[in-house]
Amino acid sequence: MTVVARRRAEMVEETRARLIRAARTAFAAKGYAAASMDDLTAEAGLTRGALYHNFGDKKGLLQAVIDQIDAEMLARMRAARGQADTAWDGFLNEGVAYIEMSLEPEIQRIMLLDGPAVLGDPSQWPNQTACLRTTTQAIQRLIDDGTVKPVDAEAAARLINGAALNAALWIAAADDPHAVLTKAVEAFRQLAAGLLRTAG
């Protein structure tokens, strides 16, 4: 890659990063509908043309913001898994960490309220496909090591992921999110425990 081409690629990446940062701040503070494209491009020191060129439209920019937040959430879930003593506890920790993040205002508004309203069913988002694959693999390993009953790993992963997602959506929309969190986490743990192979 020539110096000119490398510099051009760096400028494109910098422009995208500035737009995502400005959009993330605006979407979190005002919500997607109230966030003006003119305001957020001005905040980034760029034009509407830069937004259209890099993301297609405001919806494309929202998807980019969601992708960024999702990657951060995934890293935090992996960290929670890494603190566990057993593979099963790590698996549970990941699901609970995801549910607990739904208390955070930015995640509530962007990921759980505006995201589904604008982009449709979260279970159909591209990042959910990767999440499902990871959960399926984790359950298969737990089946292979005898922790979890013999069950279709993908079916179990879809149900576990669906339970965590619906718990998060419930918390985000609740009048008292903290009270709902306690109930949701307890129920999630009980549901997941149904997968465990009983001794004997």
Side-chain angles (χ1 to χ4, degrees), residues 48-75:
R48 265 194 187 220
L51 187 155
Y52 293 134
H53 177 73
N54 284 280
F55 300 103
D57 56 15
K58 188 179 175 186
K59 189 186 284 191
L61 184 54
L62 175 63
Q63 182 66 64
V65 169
I66 282 176
D67 289 346
Q68 184 181 74
I69 295 172
D70 186 69
E72 293 167 9
M73 290 173 72
L74 189 59

Short mmCIF file of all heavy atoms in Angstrom, two decimals, residues 48-75:
data_model
loop_
_atom_site.label_atom_id
_atom_site.label_comp_id
_atom_site.label_asym_id
_atom_site.label_seq_id
_atom_site.Cartn_x
_atom_site.Cartn_y
_atom_site.Cartn_z
N ARG A 48 -22.91 16.51 6.14
CA ARG A 48 -23.87 15.41 5.89
C ARG A 48 -23.35 14.47 4.83
O ARG A 48 -23.59 13.27 4.86
CB ARG A 48 -25.22 15.99 5.42
CG ARG A 48 -26.22 16.18 6.53
CD ARG A 48 -27.57 16.40 5.87
NE ARG A 48 -28.58 16.75 6.84
CZ ARG A 48 -29.81 16.29 6.83
NH1 ARG A 48 -30.20 15.47 5.86
NH2 ARG A 48 -30.68 16.65 7.73
N GLY A 49 -22.65 15.03 3.85
CA GLY A 49 -22.08 14.22 2.78
C GLY A 49 -21.15 13.15 3.31
O GLY A 49 -21.15 12.01 2.82
N ALA A 50 -20.38 13.49 4.33
CA ALA A 50 -19.46 12.51 4.93
C ALA A 50 -20.25 11.39 5.59
O ALA A 50 -19.88 10.22 5.51
CB ALA A 50 -18.57 13.20 5.96
N LEU A 51 -21.38 11.76 6.22
CA LEU A 51 -22.22 10.74 6.85
C LEU A 51 -22.80 9.81 5.79
O LEU A 51 -22.72 8.58 5.93
CB LEU A 51 -23.35 11.42 7.63
CG LEU A 51 -24.25 10.54 8.50
CD1 LEU A 51 -24.86 11.36 9.64
CD2 LEU A 51 -25.38 9.90 7.70
N TYR A 52 -23.36 10.38 4.73
CA TYR A 52 -23.95 9.56 3.67
C TYR A 52 -22.90 8.67 3.00
O TYR A 52 -23.16 7.51 2.71
CB TYR A 52 -24.64 10.44 2.62
CG TYR A 52 -25.85 11.17 3.12
CD1 TYR A 52 -26.05 12.52 2.85
CD2 TYR A 52 -26.83 10.51 3.87
CE1 TYR A 52 -27.16 13.19 3.31
CE2 TYR A 52 -27.94 11.18 4.33
CZ TYR A 52 -28.11 12.52 4.05
OH TYR A 52 -29.22 13.18 4.51
N HIS A 53 -21.72 9.24 2.77
CA HIS A 53 -20.66 8.50 2.09
C HIS A 53 -20.21 7.30 2.92
O HIS A 53 -19.95 6.22 2.38
CB HIS A 53 -19.47 9.43 1.81
CG HIS A 53 -18.32 8.73 1.18
ND1 HIS A 53 -18.32 8.32 -0.14
CD2 HIS A 53 -17.12 8.34 1.67
CE1 HIS A 53 -17.19 7.71 -0.42
NE2 HIS A 53 -16.42 7.71 0.66
N ASN A 54 -20.11 7.48 4.24
CA ASN A 54 -19.57 6.43 5.10
C ASN A 54 -20.60 5.44 5.62
O ASN A 54 -20.27 4.28 5.87
CB ASN A 54 -18.83 7.06 6.29
CG ASN A 54 -17.48 7.60 5.91
OD1 ASN A 54 -16.52 6.85 5.80
ND2 ASN A 54 -17.41 8.91 5.67
N PHE A 55 -21.84 5.90 5.80
CA PHE A 55 -22.83 5.03 6.44
C PHE A 55 -24.14 4.89 5.66
O PHE A 55 -25.02 4.14 6.07
CB PHE A 55 -23.15 5.56 7.86
CG PHE A 55 -21.93 5.59 8.74
CD1 PHE A 55 -21.29 6.79 9.00
CD2 PHE A 55 -21.41 4.43 9.27
CE1 PHE A 55 -20.15 6.83 9.80
CE2 PHE A 55 -20.28 4.45 10.07
CZ PHE A 55 -19.65 5.65 10.33
N GLY A 56 -24.27 5.60 4.55
CA GLY A 56 -25.49 5.50 3.75
C GLY A 56 -26.58 6.43 4.23
O GLY A 56 -27.11 7.24 3.48
N ASP A 57 -26.91 6.34 5.52
CA ASP A 57 -27.94 7.20 6.10
C ASP A 57 -27.84 7.13 7.62
O ASP A 57 -26.94 6.49 8.17
CB ASP A 57 -29.34 6.79 5.61
CG ASP A 57 -29.67 5.32 5.90
OD1 ASP A 57 -28.96 4.69 6.72
OD2 ASP A 57 -30.64 4.80 5.32
N LYS A 58 -28.79 7.79 8.28
CA LYS A 58 -28.78 7.83 9.75
C LYS A 58 -28.95 6.43 10.34
O LYS A 58 -28.33 6.09 11.36
CB LYS A 58 -29.92 8.76 10.22
CG LYS A 58 -29.94 9.05 11.70
CD LYS A 58 -31.10 10.01 11.99
CE LYS A 58 -31.30 10.26 13.46
NZ LYS A 58 -32.50 11.08 13.72
N LYS A 59 -29.73 5.60 9.70
CA LYS A 59 -29.94 4.23 10.18
C LYS A 59 -28.64 3.43 10.10
O LYS A 59 -28.32 2.66 11.00
CB LYS A 59 -31.03 3.54 9.34
CG LYS A 59 -31.47 2.20 9.90
CD LYS A 59 -32.44 1.49 8.96
CE LYS A 59 -33.82 2.06 9.01
NZ LYS A 59 -34.81 1.19 8.31
N GLY A 60 -27.88 3.63 9.03
CA GLY A 60 -26.58 2.98 8.90
C GLY A 60 -25.61 3.42 9.99
O GLY A 60 -24.81 2.62 10.50
N LEU A 61 -25.71 4.69 10.37
CA LEU A 61 -24.87 5.21 11.45
C LEU A 61 -25.28 4.59 12.78
O LEU A 61 -24.42 4.22 13.59
CB LEU A 61 -24.99 6.74 11.50
CG LEU A 61 -24.11 7.48 12.50
CD1 LEU A 61 -22.65 7.12 12.34
CD2 LEU A 61 -24.31 8.99 12.35
N LEU A 62 -26.58 4.44 13.00
CA LEU A 62 -27.05 3.76 14.22
C LEU A 62 -26.51 2.34 14.28
O LEU A 62 -26.06 1.87 15.34
CB LEU A 62 -28.58 3.75 14.27
CG LEU A 62 -29.19 2.97 15.45
CD1 LEU A 62 -28.81 3.58 16.80
CD2 LEU A 62 -30.72 2.89 15.30
N GLN A 63 -26.53 1.63 13.16
CA GLN A 63 -26.01 0.25 13.12
C GLN A 63 -24.52 0.23 13.50
O GLN A 63 -24.08 -0.65 14.25
CB GLN A 63 -26.20 -0.36 11.74
CG GLN A 63 -25.73 -1.80 11.64
CD GLN A 63 -26.56 -2.75 12.48
OE1 GLN A 63 -27.75 -2.93 12.24
NE2 GLN A 63 -25.94 -3.36 13.50
N ALA A 64 -23.77 1.22 13.02
CA ALA A 64 -22.34 1.28 13.35
C ALA A 64 -22.13 1.55 14.84
O ALA A 64 -21.24 0.97 15.46
CB ALA A 64 -21.67 2.37 12.51
N VAL A 65 -22.95 2.41 15.42
CA VAL A 65 -22.87 2.68 16.87
C VAL A 65 -23.21 1.41 17.65
O VAL A 65 -22.52 1.05 18.61
CB VAL A 65 -23.82 3.84 17.26
CG1 VAL A 65 -23.94 3.96 18.77
CG2 VAL A 65 -23.33 5.16 16.66
N ILE A 66 -24.25 0.72 17.23
CA ILE A 66 -24.65 -0.53 17.89
C ILE A 66 -23.55 -1.58 17.79
O ILE A 66 -23.26 -2.28 18.76
CB ILE A 66 -26.00 -1.03 17.32
CG1 ILE A 66 -27.14 -0.21 17.95
CG2 ILE A 66 -26.19 -2.53 17.57
CD1 ILE A 66 -28.51 -0.51 17.40
N ASP A 67 -22.91 -1.67 16.63
CA ASP A 67 -21.82 -2.63 16.45
C ASP A 67 -20.68 -2.33 17.43
O ASP A 67 -20.09 -3.24 18.02
CB ASP A 67 -21.29 -2.59 15.02
CG ASP A 67 -22.27 -3.19 14.01
OD1 ASP A 67 -23.23 -3.87 14.44
OD2 ASP A 67 -22.08 -2.95 12.81
N GLN A 68 -20.39 -1.04 17.62
CA GLN A 68 -19.32 -0.65 18.54
C GLN A 68 -19.68 -0.99 19.98
O GLN A 68 -18.87 -1.58 20.71
CB GLN A 68 -19.04 0.86 18.41
CG GLN A 68 -17.88 1.33 19.25
CD GLN A 68 -17.66 2.82 19.12
OE1 GLN A 68 -18.41 3.63 19.66
NE2 GLN A 68 -16.62 3.20 18.38
N ILE A 69 -20.89 -0.64 20.40
CA ILE A 69 -21.32 -0.94 21.77
C ILE A 69 -21.37 -2.45 21.98
O ILE A 69 -20.97 -2.97 23.03
CB ILE A 69 -22.69 -0.29 22.06
CG1 ILE A 69 -22.58 1.24 22.02
CG2 ILE A 69 -23.21 -0.74 23.43
CD1 ILE A 69 -23.91 1.96 22.11
N ASP A 70 -21.86 -3.17 20.99
CA ASP A 70 -21.96 -4.63 21.09
C ASP A 70 -20.59 -5.26 21.31
O ASP A 70 -20.44 -6.18 22.12
CB ASP A 70 -22.61 -5.19 19.82
CG ASP A 70 -22.87 -6.68 19.93
OD1 ASP A 70 -23.73 -7.07 20.72
OD2 ASP A 70 -22.18 -7.44 19.22
N ALA A 71 -19.58 -4.77 20.60
CA ALA A 71 -18.22 -5.30 20.76
C ALA A 71 -17.71 -5.06 22.18
O ALA A 71 -17.06 -5.91 22.79
CB ALA A 71 -17.28 -4.67 19.73
N GLU A 72 -18.03 -3.89 22.72
CA GLU A 72 -17.63 -3.57 24.10
C GLU A 72 -18.35 -4.46 25.10
O GLU A 72 -17.75 -4.94 26.07
CB GLU A 72 -17.93 -2.09 24.40
CG GLU A 72 -17.07 -1.13 23.60
CD GLU A 72 -17.58 0.30 23.67
OE1 GLU A 72 -18.51 0.59 24.47
OE2 GLU A 72 -17.05 1.15 22.92
N MET A 73 -19.64 -4.69 24.86
CA MET A 73 -20.42 -5.57 25.75
C MET A 73 -19.86 -6.99 25.72
O MET A 73 -19.74 -7.64 26.76
CB MET A 73 -21.89 -5.56 25.33
CG MET A 73 -22.60 -4.24 25.61
SD MET A 73 -24.28 -4.20 24.92
CE MET A 73 -25.15 -5.32 26.04
N LEU A 74 -19.50 -7.45 24.53
CA LEU A 74 -18.95 -8.80 24.38
C LEU A 74 -17.64 -8.95 25.17
O LEU A 74 -17.42 -9.96 25.84
CB LEU A 74 -18.72 -9.10 22.90
CG LEU A 74 -18.35 -10.52 22.53
CD1 LEU A 74 -19.41 -11.51 22.98
CD2 LEU A 74 -18.13 -10.63 21.03
N ALA A 75 -16.80 -7.92 25.10
CA ALA A 75 -15.54 -7.96 25.85
C ALA A 75 -15.80 -8.03 27.35
O ALA A 75 -15.12 -8.76 28.09
CB ALA A 75 -14.70 -6.73 25.51
#
